Amino acid sequence: NNKKEQQAKNTKLGETVLLYIHDLAYLIAVMMIVFLFIFRVVVVSGESMNNTLLDGDYLLLLSNVFYKDPQQGDIIVAAKDSFKNGEPIIKRVIATEGQTVNIDFTTGDVYVDGACLQENYILEKIMYDSGEFTLDYPVTVPEGHIFVLGDNRNNSADSRLSYIGMIDEDCVLGKAVAIALPGEIRDSLGNIVSPRDWGRIGLVS
């Protein structure tokens, strides 16, 4: 009897283990589908989005499979051949098709359809025209395009530059949804200057 009871326990244990393995396999499959088709993980490179996003931040990106309609204020990742052979850039959408953008390079203010944007997310206002900003303002965003700027206005390659300009929505890879892992700032020797701020994990806006 004891032998039969032990065999029954072993059989039940084996069935339980198989059930867990089965459920785990389904969970892994679902997670793979989610991260392959719905979300992507991207790493911020550079300082153009300071202080909203920092160099080395790991972001959760809503894939362009589901993100089809960029809105003003969204933070997007795009790849344009004219910029570093298609190297992805991360910027904020300032205006969408049909909207008119104007920049006052004296005050640093940005206007969309005549209204001055209240931008509490920027590091600082635009302080100068580098001479590379070849657009004649005001400009109207063409159909199917967006006008983007970095939050670090004086250290950002964005729609102000001729080799980036307006970005075709087809070039958008997705929308930044959340900081999954905050970056850490290192000096040229690789020493940590500013450690990860774990409190920054969460939704981006």
Side-chain angles (χ1 to χ4, degrees), residues 98-112:
Q99 292 188 304
T100 299
V101 179
N102 199 8
I103 298 177
D104 186 330
F105 287 98
T106 302
T107 64
D109 291 320
V110 178
Y111 295 81
V112 175

Side-chain angles (χ1 to χ4, degrees), residues 38-196:
I38 301 177
F39 292 105
R40 301 177 183 177
V41 176
V42 297
V43 184
V44 176
S45 177
E47 302 175 349
S48 72
M49 285 298 292
N50 286 9
N51 284 328
T52 306
L53 302 172
L54 303 179
D55 185 39
D57 282 348
Y58 282 74
L59 303 180
L60 199 60
L61 193 72
L62 178 61
S63 169
N64 56 5
V65 174
F66 294 91
Y67 178 67
K68 296 292 187 183
D69 187 22
Q71 299 294 310
Q72 187 182 55
D74 288 352
I75 296 175
I76 59 94
V77 174
K80 192 169 183 180
D81 290 339
S82 60
F83 179 71
K84 294 185 179 179
N85 297 317
E87 180 181 309
I89 56 174
I90 181 162
K91 306 295 173 185
R92 188 182 295 272
V93 178
I94 298 301
T96 59
E97 62 179 29
Q99 292 188 304
T100 299
V101 179
N102 199 8
I103 298 177
D104 186 330
F105 287 98
T106 302
T107 64
D109 291 320
V110 178
Y111 295 81
V112 175
D113 291 338
C116 182
L117 299 184
Q118 303 304 307
E119 301 183 292
N120 58 359
Y121 44 76
I122 62 174
L123 181 64
E124 58 187 5
K125 289 187 176 183
I126 297 170
M127 298 176 63
Y128 60 92
D129 181 345
S130 71
E132 295 180 295
F133 303 158
T134 56
L135 294 178
D136 293 323
Y137 295 95
V139 294
T140 299
V141 182
E143 182 179 355
H145 288 70
I146 53 177
F147 183 98
V148 300
L149 293 174
D151 287 356
N152 186 0
R153 292 290 158 82
N154 296 300
N155 188 15
S156 174
D158 47 44
S159 288
R160 292 171 291 177
L161 301 178
S162 59
Y163 57 86
I164 294 180
M166 310 288 184
I167 293 180
D168 192 317
E169 290 181 9
D170 289 340
C171 296
V172 175
L173 303 178
K175 173 187 175 181
V177 175
I179 298 174
L181 178 67
E184 58 186 12
I185 300 174
R186 295 175 177 266
D187 61 21
S188 59
L189 299 176
N191 301 312
I192 297 176
V193 176
S194 178
R196 301 184 196 277

